[in-house]
Structures are given as structure tokens and as C-alpha cells.
Amino acid sequence: MAGRQSSHSWERTELAHDEDAATALGWLERDYLRLFSTDFGHWLDVAEAWPGEWQDAAGMGDAWVTVTAEQLKTLRQELDDVMARYRDADPAPGARRVTFWHAAFPLDPDDVPDTGETDTADDAGNDEGTNTAHRTDRP
């Protein structure tokens, strides 16, 4: 069963030097967005037919954190490591394949940091040395 399970990830800068590859990556990311919307929408349409334990176990969530680019890279790697443990495990009786989507991106995508801007945040979650303009529709 492990051969049927997969994971996909990439770093945008790996392909930035190749215009065709960067274009293909842009298409692929948008296709993933479409696929997520289709697949999760279908789950929402049929979820009530599933046993309550599955309805409660499946779902969607989000979290906002204040991190540097390096911390975000580490966070993503830690989540990938957790997923690898489940991907590599033998399935238990009653197990079903599930998809676990994750996307990490700035909540203020139009507030692009200057290349010389320091990328640090203190332990209290205060941004130091970064532009502190934040969206008002998000916590």
C-alpha cells in the first residue's frame, strides 16, 4: 500500500532560473488549488453519510503564526516529517487513504519585505525590524 501513497512539495526558487519550469509550477499550484476545492467540496457533500468518528476526525483548520522565512521552512519540514511517519506505517484495519493539504503563505502577500529588511521576530510574537502593516480582517 505504501507505493500508492505520495507527497509532493517543491521550492519555488529551485525553478526560478527556468522560465518554462516556473510557468509550469504556477500552473501546477493553481491546479492543486482547483483540485483541493473540488475534492474537499465533494467530501462536504458526502460527509454526513460517513460514520460520526470519520466526520469528527476529518475536517479543516487553520492557524496563524508569526515566523521568519527560516522558521517557516523549519515548520514545513517538521510537518513533512510527521506525515512521513504515517506514510511509511502499515495501515491499520479500517484505515482509509486521506489527503492532508497544507499551504503556508504570508497573510499580507502585498506587503513584500525589502531585500535588506531583517527577518526576525521575538518570542513574544512581536515583529522587530519588519514592516508591521497587517490585514485588519485577520487576527
Side-chain angles (χ1 to χ4, degrees):
M1 174 117 171
R4 293 183 1 188
Q5 299 169 346
S6 66
S7 173
H8 303 93
S9 65
W10 48 82
E11 292 184 2
R12 292 181 132 285
T13 56
E14 292 175 325
L15 305 174
H17 65 282
D18 182 336
E19 185 177 342
D20 289 339
T23 299
L25 176 59
W27 178 89
L28 182 63
E29 288 175 325
R30 298 245 178 228
D31 192 54
Y32 270 37
L33 175 61
R34 179 200 56 77
L35 184 61
F36 169 77
S37 180
T38 299
D39 288 353
F40 190 64
H42 182 68
W43 164 250
L44 295 176
D45 292 341
V46 302
E48 289 182 6
W50 280 67
E53 66 181 347
W54 278 97
Q55 291 182 49
D56 292 344
M60 175 185 247
D62 56 15
W64 295 281
V65 295
T66 302
V67 294
T68 64
E70 189 60 35
Q71 289 171 319
L72 181 56
K73 215 172 172 179
T74 300
L75 174 58
R76 290 184 60 216
Q77 182 59 54
E78 290 172 355
L79 292 172
D80 287 346
D81 293 346
V82 170
M83 294 307 298
R85 288 198 308 266
Y86 283 87
R87 235 186 349 264
D88 297 340
D90 290 330
R96 298 289 187 271
R97 287 190 323 140
V98 300
T99 185
F100 192 92
W101 293 83
H102 55 101
F105 54 92
L107 283 175
D108 303 310
D110 296 322
D111 184 19
V112 179
D114 295 332
T115 56
E117 193 172 320
T118 56
D119 193 15
T120 61
D122 68 16
D123 291 340
N126 298 321
D127 295 332
E128 292 182 355
T130 60
N131 187 331
T132 57
H134 296 288
R135 290 175 53 167
T136 58
D137 62 334
R138 304 277 177 136

